[in-house]
Amino acid sequence: MRKVATAAMFAALSATALGMTAGQPAAAAPSVNMEAVVKAAMWDPYKADQSITPGSGESVKAVEQALAAKNLLDKKQVDGHFGTSTVTAYQKYQKSLGHSGLAASGLPGKGSLTELGKGRYTVTAPISVGSKTSLDGKTVNKRTADMIAAAEKKAGVKFTITQGSYNAGGVGASGGTHDGGGAVDISVNNISNKTAAVKALREVGFAAWHRTPSQGNWAEHIHGIAISDTDMSPQAQAQAGDYFKGLNGLASHAKDDGPKVKKVTWEEFKRG
């Protein structure tokens, strides 16, 4: 009896030290919503203020706390806003894992986000861009291909892709936006209602614009960036940031000239 009592006392003392009542399970680790974190990483760095992207604050803060624990981010920056300081800190973390290039752009991917959270948080609502595939002979990932198919259905027209993704250095006028995933250019030759086509692309989660020769050294086309594609190039991320700010995604950063829609990601569109 004495040994049993001692063991019970030890268990109670241990539970008290951990902030628990004896017999109760340990508190579950906090969760980090990857969709919310990536959306904030697309939007927050381009804001003029420190406002928090709706629904992302707690998840971003948990990521920032993990970065601060690794001495990659000043504790004063742990505020739920995924701004430039957090982007830089996350980029350093990615490089510490041996990543480089687009894999160390400061945009969280599932692998690095999960690794960072070990012992601190669990990742929910993961984003997967899928494997590379082909549309009209141009390389895109499965997520982008699925988005194109959904937009075609809404617009009632078959899109012809003239430039895809993962096309580093392929078209100089693109300025690096097609270097990573999620970027497409679409021919307008068979599209009578270009505004409706751009609207359909936006409604399924693209930052999309109708581009004309007067805007740059290119033929008329529709340009699209799949918001929250985790393979995206920094240049494409900047265009997504412009889109969220109501701008045109060009060097002029002029007012958005496209149709007004509720700005959503692919994952949000699928949930309705």
Side-chain angles (χ1 to χ4, degrees):
M1 291 295 294
R2 187 173 182 178
K3 289 183 179 180
V4 173
T6 301
M9 288 175 62
F10 179 76
L13 287 171
S14 298
T16 301
L18 292 172
M20 302 181 294
T21 302
Q24 290 185 345
S31 63
V32 161
N33 184 304
M34 183 176 175
E35 284 184 31
V37 168
V38 173
K39 189 175 183 179
M42 297 251 150
W43 193 352
D44 290 354
Y46 306 98
K47 293 177 179 175
D49 56 26
Q50 301 296 306
S51 61
I52 294 172
T53 295
S56 72
E58 291 305 311
S59 289
V60 170
K61 189 176 291 186
V63 172
E64 290 175 325
Q65 288 170 338
L67 291 169
K70 293 183 178 293
N71 297 315
L72 296 172
L73 182 68
D74 193 301
K75 291 182 180 179
K76 293 184 295 184
Q77 303 291 338
V78 178
D79 56 7
H81 173 84
F82 207 114
T84 54
S85 296
T86 305
V87 170
T88 299
Y90 203 92
Q91 184 179 49
K92 290 178 180 178
Y93 174 66
Q94 289 170 320
K95 289 181 177 179
S96 76
L97 296 177
H99 299 317
S100 61
L102 292 178
S105 69
L107 180 64
K110 182 182 176 183
S112 62
L113 197 62
T114 301
E115 183 67 24
L116 180 63
K118 284 184 176 178
R120 303 190 68 90
Y121 61 74
T122 58
V123 176
T124 63
I127 294 173
S128 173
V129 299
S131 58
K132 292 179 182 178
T133 185
S134 179
L135 289 178
D136 302 316
K138 306 300 187 294
T139 301
V140 296
N141 57 47
K142 186 178 184 303
R143 181 177 184 268
T144 301
D146 290 344
M147 292 172 69
I148 289 291
E152 288 177 328
K153 185 176 180 180
K154 290 182 78 67
V157 64
K158 174 69 172 68
F159 294 147
T160 299
I161 308 301
T162 57
Q163 185 181 186
S165 309
Y166 308 103
N167 191 29
V171 178
S174 297
T177 56
H178 290 260
D179 286 6
V184 291
D185 285 344
I186 298 169
S187 171
V188 297
N189 290 341
N190 67 321
I191 299 177
S192 58
N193 191 333
K194 301 174 185 65
T195 299
V198 172
K199 183 179 180 182
L201 287 160
R202 290 183 171 194
E203 287 176 336
V204 303
F206 281 98
W209 299 270
H210 173 211
R211 301 299 197 210
T212 64
S214 65
Q215 295 174 312
N217 184 27
W218 48 63
E220 184 183 9
H221 66 283
I222 293 173
H223 176 66
I225 296 294
I227 300 169
S228 293
D229 186 302
T230 54
D231 281 354
M232 195 181 297
S233 72
Q235 296 90 333
Q237 292 174 46
Q239 288 191 325
D242 246 20
Y243 175 67
F244 277 119
K245 290 173 67 176
L247 304 177
N248 66 1
L250 295 172
S252 65
H253 301 292
K255 185 178 179 181
D256 184 11
D257 57 2
K260 305 303 180 193
V261 302
K262 180 181 179 182
K263 295 178 173 68
V264 298
T265 66
W266 170 238
E267 289 73 25
E268 289 169 337
F269 165 75
K270 287 193 295 181
R271 285 195 293 271

